Amino acid sequence: MPTPSLTHLPIRRLTLRDLTACADLSEDRGWPREEHKWGFLLTAGKGYGIDDPEGGLVAACVVTEYGAWGRPDLGAIGMVLVAERHARQGVGRRLMRHVVSVMGTTPLTLHATPNGRPLYEELGFKVTGRAEMLRGRFTPGGREPAVVTRAATAEDLPAIVRLDEEVFGTDRTPLITRLPAFADQLRVAEEAGRLIGYTAAWPNMDTHVVGPLIARDTETAKALIASLAARTERPLRTDIDVRHEELLDWVKERGMASVAFNSVMTYGIPELPGDWTRRFAPLTVAAG
């Protein structure tokens, strides 16, 4: 039987049963398999994909919704992948148009690579910022930030959720409450018994990804990163908003090197909600 046209293959919701197929798709495009991250995103968000009649997936992506249940006020799109054998045939455009249509009037955001940016611009997304990806072994040095940090406890979760909503500009409870199980470290910074920042380090292949990173100021962000680095032997990886120049200089002085730049894009809103001055790094660029 002839293979159905890519334009006629149905788009369906993905579930955790598709985890291996999603990881295979990542590997097909030269990305790490990232099964731990895929599992988190398929649980916290909504996956969409196109099955390949010959096995596996033609394409996939994930949308993470934020705000009131059933009435999201922001959606983050990530992990947009098309199998190499089906690349440059309009599949990614079709999948993205489907997601934009499904989300209706909900504002959207995503981090775009230089290769992906033209497609998103064609669909109406606008560049509103940039993030710099860094990777390396963090080496302590110089004056240590004078901010108290400690491991988060279950009792801290309500305060973490409140701070996250205040800084991010929308409720991310389903995502944040999954952090204790997803991350190897979850740490908070406090002053006079009040939470002034939090961060996590979660395992991704041979690195620990630092994110989210939310802090009152740059000194607090430095203290949180240093506290994570002191408790892992893995290289660190993170994506820092380029407006945080002081923090970028600081982590580079301590062994982390620039890997790439991604464009932060929005659809339906002129810029992201919340307070960017306290939002240093996302949990993952796939989920904001």
Side-chain angles (χ1 to χ4, degrees):
M1 293 182 62
T3 302
S5 166
L6 293 177
T7 59
H8 292 91
L9 293 173
I11 297 172
R12 68 171 177 87
R13 284 282 303 276
L14 302 176
T15 71
L16 273 177
R17 290 191 296 273
D18 300 295
L19 176 59
T20 299
C22 289
D24 289 344
L25 185 59
S26 290
E27 196 169 53
D28 175 75
R29 292 316 303 257
W31 290 18
R33 291 183 62 82
E34 299 187 307
E35 292 183 359
H36 185 60
K37 182 169 76 172
W38 270 113
F40 179 78
L41 293 170
L42 289 171
T43 303
K46 295 178 179 179
Y48 295 90
I50 301 173
D51 289 313
D52 189 331
E54 298 181 10
L57 289 169
V58 170
C61 72
V62 179
V63 183
T64 309
E65 299 178 353
Y66 303 122
W69 177 257
R71 291 181 291 107
D73 47 38
L74 183 66
I77 301 174
M79 308 303 281
V80 182
L81 284 167
V82 177
E84 179 64 36
R85 61 192 177 280
H86 299 299
R88 295 168 294 280
Q89 298 180 51
V91 183
R93 181 179 295 100
R94 179 179 170 228
L95 183 59
M96 281 295 300
R97 282 179 173 157
H98 175 81
V99 169
V100 170
S101 175
V102 167
M103 295 301 290
T105 59
T106 302
L108 304 171
T109 183
L110 54 79
H111 283 65
T113 64
N115 288 336
R117 177 175 161 178
L119 167 62
Y120 304 131
E121 288 180 326
E122 178 186 323
L123 296 172
F125 284 79
K126 307 293 184 184
V127 175
T128 57
R130 292 177 82 214
E132 184 172 1
M133 181 188 297
L134 304 109
R135 186 186 189 280
R137 292 195 175 276
F138 183 93
T139 304
R143 182 182 61 84
E144 292 299 319
V147 177
V148 175
T149 70
R150 60 171 174 80
T153 67
E155 287 72 26
D156 292 313
L157 267 180
I160 290 174
V161 168
R162 285 194 300 271
L163 177 62
D164 186 84
E165 181 173 359
E166 178 185 328
V167 173
F168 199 80
T170 185
D171 181 14
R172 301 200 300 171
T173 298
L175 195 78
I176 303 307
T177 53
R178 284 179 167 87
L179 275 178
F182 177 64
D184 285 345
Q185 295 187 60
L186 179 59
R187 298 188 65 80
V188 297
E190 60 183 359
E191 182 180 80
R194 182 174 65 90
L195 208 67
I196 58 172
Y198 84 95
T199 192
W202 51 272
N204 190 35
M205 312 307 291
D206 64 337
T207 68
H208 267 129
V209 177
V210 176
L213 176 56
I214 284 178
R216 178 184 62 185
D217 49 35
T218 302
E219 286 301 300
T220 304
K222 290 177 182 179
L224 286 166
I225 292 175
S227 70
L228 293 176
R231 292 164 177 82
T232 179
E233 295 183 356
R234 297 188 186 193
L236 298 183
R237 206 189 85 197
T238 192
D239 297 85
I240 296 176
D241 187 317
V242 297
R243 291 172 288 188
H244 292 294
E245 296 178 5
E246 182 183 347
L247 184 65
L248 282 167
D249 290 342
W250 183 80
V251 295
K252 290 173 183 177
E253 290 169 359
R254 282 153 183 78
M256 298 188 70
S258 180
V259 176
F261 288 88
N262 288 323
S263 298
V264 180
M265 306 186 78
T266 58
Y267 178 94
I269 46 174
E271 60 184 5
L272 288 174
D275 180 4
W276 76 264
T277 66
R278 291 184 286 165
R279 186 174 57 227
F280 289 83
L283 191 158
T284 165
V285 295

